[in-house]
Amino acid sequence: MDFIFAFMIVMVFMVIGEWVSTLSHAFIPSVFVTAVVFVIGFWTVLPKNIVTTASFNTNFITICISLLLVHLGTLMNLRELVAQWRAVCIALLGVAGTLLLTLVIGTFIFDWHTVVAAVPPLTGGLVSALLMTNGLKAQGITALVALPVSMFVIHSVIGYPLTAVMLKQEGKRLVTQFHNNGEQLNPNLPKFKESNKPQKIEKQIFNLPAEYQTSAFIMARVAIVALLSNWVAGLMGNIINANVICLILGVIAHQIGFLEDNALNKAGVFNWLMYGLLAYIFAQLSVTTPAEMGTIILQIIVLIFLGLVGMFLASRLLAKPFGMSWQMAYACSLTSLFGFPADYILTSEVAHTVADSDDSEEYLLQNMMPKMLVGGFATVSVASVIIASIFLKLL
């Protein structure tokens, strides 16, 4: 009964975060609300081990990370990335601006370990936060364990509304362009309002009847790729982190048709793994005290400020050479703070709000959505894993 009760509490906390986010139209991130609820709980009546009691323990997370990284590879479409290469470059160079300013100036303000622990989650998402948390534990730097988690939680609070402002400015510019210049919808691009997502033609090497394409069959193949990735990393002496290899082999497996698009969602287990990963991340907040959290928040705010300034400078300087407005370039770079699905949700809501007709809304989506999606994938799914893997060696 204790296990079921613990699981129920964890899920209720997740629900609270999601409902508040929905009520605020995603301007208050669900992860922020859930983290606050967990912190209040840990500081009052919540048992410190409630997440592990709910079955989200270290063994679960070890499997979870490998499977999710292989899954991220199945979301990647190389043709889309090539077609939107400018957005990919801008997003990655924006991340480079963040790294440059935080490492150069941040290390003058805070100690090296603080900056190294906090920066990867700033330039990525959930997986980066988890990798840095586990790395700090392995190095025995327990005083900073809550720092990556807190960075992951807090930077989205700033990132969401700032990105929305940039997209609204770009949307207004595009609506004016649409009406004044007689712009037409591109017939070669997908109808985002109808399909909600570009349709992909899947290549599959297993031409089995539908009744054999079960969830277990999908998960078995994802597990094979994850196992192969960890084996290859071991053969290489972990010179390249196993997580990076999981991502790379996930992309290759998807491209050759061994894995289908969006594999774990089709298997029906993606949300389960994500909730478990989130719960494990929030469990790290149990080591904090109000005094420690006050110090952590100061460090995080300063590093977020430096990171956003570095990202802005890179975007502003490079926007014109890459044929974008600086607002669109900055929005692409800001996707590194949250990635999918927040980039999709924000772009859809802004387009709907700013547009004055169905055609102008579709025009906004055609011009903004592909850039935001590939920018988010390039930063959160690829760059953040590589950055975190490199920074782990710097601890």
Side-chain angles (χ1 to χ4, degrees):
M1 184 172 173
D2 289 344
F3 301 106
I4 299 175
F5 178 76
F7 178 76
M8 181 202 71
I9 293 296
V10 170
M11 288 299 106
V12 167
F13 285 4
M14 298 291 178
V15 168
I16 293 171
E18 290 179 344
W19 284 7
V20 171
S21 179
T22 300
L23 287 171
S24 67
H25 299 286
F27 278 94
I28 302 176
S30 61
V31 293
F32 174 75
V33 177
T34 303
V36 170
V37 175
F38 266 106
V39 167
I40 294 171
F42 287 136
W43 289 352
T44 53
V45 298
L46 204 65
K48 305 290 187 183
N49 65 341
I50 190 166
V51 172
T52 54
T53 304
S55 81
F56 302 124
N57 53 31
T58 304
N59 291 336
F60 174 87
I61 296 305
T62 301
I63 297 170
C64 183
I65 293 175
S66 292
L67 296 184
L68 283 171
L69 284 169
V70 172
H71 167 80
L72 285 176
T74 70
L75 299 177
M76 183 174 182
N77 187 302
L78 292 178
R79 288 184 179 178
E80 289 176 8
L81 284 173
V82 171
Q84 295 293 336
W85 66 271
R86 291 181 178 85
V88 173
C89 291
I90 282 287
L92 294 177
L93 290 169
V95 169
T98 293
L99 294 175
L100 182 63
L101 218 62
T102 51
L103 289 176
V104 172
I105 300 178
T107 48
F108 281 104
I109 304 172
F110 307 113
D111 66 87
W112 174 251
H113 282 151
T114 296
V115 176
V116 170
V119 168
L122 174 59
T123 60
L126 183 60
V127 175
S128 290
L130 183 61
L131 292 177
M132 296 312 299
T133 298
N134 289 341
L136 289 167
K137 285 182 176 178
Q139 296 288 332
I141 312 173
T142 56
L144 296 177
V145 163
L147 186 58
V149 185
S150 302
M151 174 62 83
F152 164 69
V153 168
I154 294 173
H155 73 52
S156 58
V157 179
I158 300 172
Y160 285 17
L162 181 58
T163 305
V165 170
M166 293 298 104
L167 288 175
K168 283 180 181 177
Q169 292 183 14
E170 175 68 1
K172 290 175 181 177
R173 185 188 70 82
L174 288 172
V175 167
T176 302
Q177 177 179 294
F178 181 73
H179 291 302
N180 294 349
N181 300 342
E183 297 285 342
Q184 300 294 319
L185 297 176
N186 189 338
N188 297 319
L189 290 177
K191 293 287 185 180
F192 287 95
K193 287 185 66 180
E194 293 176 6
S195 64
N196 289 334
K197 191 177 179 181
Q199 297 296 313
K200 301 175 183 177
I201 300 174
E202 288 195 29
K203 181 199 298 182
Q204 291 189 0
I205 63 176
F206 297 103
N207 293 315
L208 298 176
E211 58 266 27
Y212 292 98
Q213 301 278 5
T214 63
S215 295
F217 183 51
I218 296 173
M219 291 183 67
R221 284 178 283 143
V222 172
I224 288 170
V225 177
L227 181 63
L228 178 62
S229 302
N230 281 271
W231 178 71
V232 169
L235 284 181
M236 299 172 65
N238 291 309
I239 295 174
I240 301 178
N241 191 280
N243 297 301
V244 176
I245 298 178
C246 281
L247 182 63
I248 293 171
L249 292 190
V251 172
I252 295 172
H254 174 238
Q255 293 300 308
I256 66 175
F258 183 75
L259 293 174
E260 47 270 269
D261 293 336
N262 212 0
L264 292 182
N265 260 317
K266 290 187 176 177
V269 298
F270 176 75
N271 286 335
W272 171 261
L273 294 175
M274 283 300 294
Y275 285 136
L277 193 56
L278 279 169
Y280 184 81
I281 283 286
F282 294 141
Q284 312 309 313
L285 295 170
S286 64
V287 302
T288 64
T289 64
E292 288 174 343
M293 187 58 73
T295 304
I296 287 174
I297 289 176
L298 176 63
Q299 295 168 341
I300 287 171
I301 289 174
V302 172
L303 289 172
I304 289 176
F305 174 77
L306 291 174
L308 292 179
V309 169
M311 195 179 290
F312 170 77
L313 292 175
S315 302
R316 191 69 190 253
L317 290 171
L318 297 168
K320 190 172 182 180
F322 282 96
M324 292 187 200
S325 68
W326 72 266
Q327 290 92 340
M328 189 71 247
Y330 196 24
C332 283
S333 296
L334 286 168
T335 58
S336 65
L337 300 182
F338 41 81
F340 186 85
D343 49 8
Y344 178 84
I345 294 169
L346 284 174
T347 308
S348 299
E349 290 186 346
V350 167
H352 184 72
T353 302
V354 173
D356 53 10
S357 67
D358 287 344
D359 281 349
S360 63
E361 182 177 350
E362 187 63 49
Y363 182 74
L364 296 187
L365 290 172
Q366 285 188 349
N367 280 275
M368 297 192 300
M369 186 69 81
K371 297 181 180 68
M372 293 294 286
L373 290 178
V374 299
F377 183 85
T379 53
V380 174
S381 299
V382 180
S384 68
V385 177
I386 296 172
I387 290 168
S389 300
I390 294 172
F391 275 50
L392 282 172
K393 299 181 184 298
L394 302 177
L395 285 173

